[in-house]
Amino acid sequence: MKLHIPILLALALTACKEEEAKAPPPPVELNTAALSFFCQMNVLEHGGPKGQVHLEGYPAPLFFAQVRDLVAYMKSPERDAQITAVYVSDTGKAASWDDLGEGNWILANDAQFVIGANVAGGMGAPEIVPFGDAASAKPFLDKYGGQLLPFTEIPDDAALAPVDLSQTLETPS
């Protein structure tokens, strides 16, 4: 009987290790080769927060010139590969709207997002703006309005609703 206990403990420990989530792949720094998934335009040529989605079995992430586009991709039912990580720019740590920093990434599930603010993202549509925490989002909310939500609570219409091209949106400084 005493011999069975160490074997059972070893099996239980092995099962626990298999259930542990694999660490996400690290974010990839932005460079001139990064093209936005939907439009194939250079990501660095557009202001505002960016995103990247890592897919299992793919060597490079999908980049997005606007977080709104990343959210639209995530809400799309037509994805084949398993997502291993989703990163967004931490706007609270950015030098400016046009200089977010090449390596300024946080996991989307760890971020807070401003939706409904009167700001245009890199592609000109209303932007969903990520921040590392609620405190760093407060000055932005005070200036541009909107609502702060976690990634999992961003409503579909924040990314998938038609864009009113007659509206005047601000470009943060």
Side-chain angles (χ1 to χ4, degrees), residues 57-82:
Y58 288 80
L62 304 177
F63 282 102
F64 296 87
Q66 185 165 338
V67 173
R68 176 190 171 102
D69 292 346
L70 176 143
V71 174
Y73 174 83
M74 295 297 294
K75 292 183 176 291
S76 169
E78 299 177 9
R79 293 185 322 267
D80 291 337
Q82 181 174 341

Side-chain angles (χ1 to χ4, degrees), residues 1-168:
M1 181 71 168
K2 289 184 180 183
L3 181 61
H4 290 88
I5 292 174
I7 293 171
L8 290 174
L9 287 174
L11 287 173
L13 183 59
T14 302
C16 287
K17 286 185 178 182
E18 287 177 10
E19 290 179 11
E20 287 180 18
K22 290 170 53 174
V28 174
E29 287 190 19
L30 284 176
N31 59 55
T32 56
L35 301 178
S36 189
F37 177 70
F38 288 127
C39 65
Q40 295 300 296
M41 296 173 77
N42 187 293
V43 173
L44 289 175
E45 293 177 3
H46 302 278
K50 316 284 183 248
Q52 57 180 276
V53 175
H54 294 252
L55 302 173
E56 189 172 290
Y58 288 80
L62 304 177
F63 282 102
F64 296 87
Q66 185 165 338
V67 173
R68 176 190 171 102
D69 292 346
L70 176 143
V71 174
Y73 174 83
M74 295 297 294
K75 292 183 176 291
S76 169
E78 299 177 9
R79 293 185 322 267
D80 291 337
Q82 181 174 341
I83 294 170
T84 58
V86 178
Y87 292 98
V88 292
S89 305
D90 182 350
T91 309
K93 291 183 178 176
S96 71
W97 193 253
D98 290 324
D99 182 12
L100 292 161
E102 295 174 1
N104 180 16
W105 299 106
I106 57 173
L107 286 167
N109 284 334
D110 293 342
Q112 294 290 311
F113 295 80
V114 175
I115 65 164
N118 189 40
V119 296
M123 299 306 292
E127 184 59 295
I128 297 170
V129 186
F131 289 88
D133 56 57
S136 63
K138 186 170 179 358
F140 185 91
L141 284 164
D142 290 346
K143 186 170 184 177
Y144 300 105
Q147 177 184 6
L148 196 62
L149 297 171
F151 189 59
T152 56
E153 292 181 26
I154 297 172
D156 291 354
D157 65 347
L160 301 174
V163 174
D164 178 3
L165 297 175
S166 68
Q167 67 183 342
T168 302

